[in-house]
């Protein structure tokens, strides 16, 4: 899968059109679309007083962190590796407490036209209130990019899950909870800015959103050279042109705490 076929997430109306020169993020209309311790005991000689030696306190052995190797494939534990398989709920929850976001997550892949999927439904559907993890990227805590997106509005224009994302600030901490074991991965936002459509089409920006090897079509993704676990969070913003919003809001962060 070459870069011209690579796509970015379709969220809150954000879609992607593959062109001969690159990837275009577009906006679909929602406003108008329907071991035990042992201690030796010292026995003193007769007539000699002795204070028993206290038992040594065992030092807990920390759980070793995974030994990541650059270029190594990342394990898939959450969902089918086939990017063209249907999306489904994953046992993750995304929260950005400072901006009031708390959403269940769906794992999504690619549509038949090689767009990153962003499921939709009728106005009352729960899909508008969920977040989408692109399963072609890293899983929580893994080196690479954990890419998450959400709709900004729903059919009719009412706020959706990521309506308040545009108010997130550098220094804010977002959380991804693995509900299989209660592990919480926290990422600190290092950059949050608005991109024009042209800027969002830049290959370097797309790599930041989805990972260093996303344009190669590798699956599963591989460990980046710097071994850093990152997050990208995307939705749409700006002015509605009648066809699409004219800007994208993207926040980037790095892992600061691991379970």
């Amino acid at each position: 899968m070459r870069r011209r076929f690579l796509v970015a997430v379709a969220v809150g109306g954000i879609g992607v059109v593959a062109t001969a020169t690159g990837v275009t993020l577009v906006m679909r209309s929602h406003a108008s679309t329907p071991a035990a311790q042992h201690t030796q005991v010292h026995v003193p000689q007769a007539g000699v007083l002795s204070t028993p030696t206290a038992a040594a306190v065992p030092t807990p052995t920390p759980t070793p962190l995974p030994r990541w190797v650059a270029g190594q494939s990342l394990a898939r534990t959450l969902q089918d590796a086939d990017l063209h398989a249907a999306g489904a709920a994953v046992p993750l929850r995304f929260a950005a407490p400072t901006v009031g976001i708390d959403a269940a997550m769906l794992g999504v892949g690619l549509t038949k036209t090689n767009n990153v999927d962003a499921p939709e439904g009728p106005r009352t559907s729960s899909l508008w209130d969920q977040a989408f993890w692109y399963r072609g990227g890293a899983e929580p805590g893994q080196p690479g990019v954990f890419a998450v997106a959400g709709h900004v509005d729903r059919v009719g224009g009412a706020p959706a899950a990521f309506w308040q994302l545009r108010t997130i600030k550098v220094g804010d901490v977002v959380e991804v909870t693995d509900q299989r074991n209660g592990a919480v991965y926290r990422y600190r936002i290092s950059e949050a800015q608005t991109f024009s459509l042209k800027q969002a089409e830049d290959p370097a920006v797309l790599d930041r959103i989805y990972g260093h090897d996303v344009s190669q079509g590798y699956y599963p993704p591989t460990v980046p050279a710097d071994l850093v676990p990152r997050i990208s969070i995307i939705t749409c913003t700006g002015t509605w042109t009648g066809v699409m919003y004219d800007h994208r809001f993207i926040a980037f962060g790095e892992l600061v705490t691991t379970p």
Side-chain angles (χ1 to χ4, degrees):
M1 183 168 63
R2 297 291 186 265
R3 179 176 297 281
R4 66 176 180 273
F5 297 120
L6 173 66
V7 294
V9 168
V11 293
I14 296 177
V16 175
V17 174
T19 69
T21 58
V23 179
T24 302
L25 284 79
V26 300
M27 167 62 69
R28 295 191 303 276
S29 170
H30 294 319
S32 59
T33 337
Q37 190 73 28
H38 299 284
T39 305
Q40 292 183 343
V41 179
H42 174 66
V43 181
Q45 297 178 356
V48 178
L49 297 178
S50 175
T51 302
T53 302
V57 177
T59 302
T61 302
T63 302
L65 294 175
R67 298 180 63 181
W68 305 114
V69 177
Q72 181 183 60
S73 293
L74 291 170
R76 304 287 83 187
T77 69
L78 288 167
Q79 204 168 78
D80 192 328
D82 181 3
L83 285 177
H84 286 97
V90 289
L92 300 176
R93 195 163 192 93
F94 173 77
T98 59
V99 296
I101 297 175
D102 184 7
M105 301 196 75
L106 295 179
V108 299
L110 301 175
T111 66
K112 292 181 179 179
T113 56
N114 282 336
N115 287 330
V116 174
D117 195 16
E120 299 179 353
R123 183 175 182 177
T124 57
S125 172
S126 62
L127 290 170
W128 305 108
D129 298 313
Q130 295 176 322
F132 309 123
W133 163 60
Y134 176 55
R135 64 175 183 268
E139 294 188 2
Q142 292 181 338
V145 183
F146 178 80
V148 57
H151 292 295
V152 69
D153 58 9
R154 65 189 73 213
V155 173
F162 278 22
W163 180 263
Q164 290 295 333
L165 180 64
R166 58 196 167 188
T167 64
I168 204 166
K169 300 290 190 296
V170 171
D172 287 353
V173 173
V174 300
E175 301 175 346
V176 180
T177 301
D178 187 334
Q179 297 175 317
R180 294 172 296 181
N181 54 19
V184 180
Y185 299 86
R186 294 182 176 88
Y187 298 81
R188 179 171 288 115
I189 301 302
S190 56
E191 181 182 343
Q193 69 176 90
T194 298
F195 292 82
S196 68
L197 296 180
K198 183 176 181 179
Q199 290 171 328
E201 295 167 9
D202 188 285
V205 175
L206 290 174
D207 283 349
R208 292 187 67 193
I209 297 172
Y210 293 107
H212 68 291
D213 59 3
V214 65
S215 65
Q216 304 301 317
Y218 296 151
Y219 200 85
T222 59
V223 177
D226 62 9
L227 310 182
V228 177
R230 294 185 167 88
I231 194 169
S232 66
I233 315 165
I234 182 172
T235 195
C236 56
T237 190
T239 301
W240 181 256
T241 66
V243 178
M244 66 183 73
Y245 285 101
D246 61 357
H247 286 76
R248 305 291 172 261
F249 183 87
I250 308 173
F252 302 96
E254 294 186 5
L255 188 71
V256 290
T257 60
T258 55

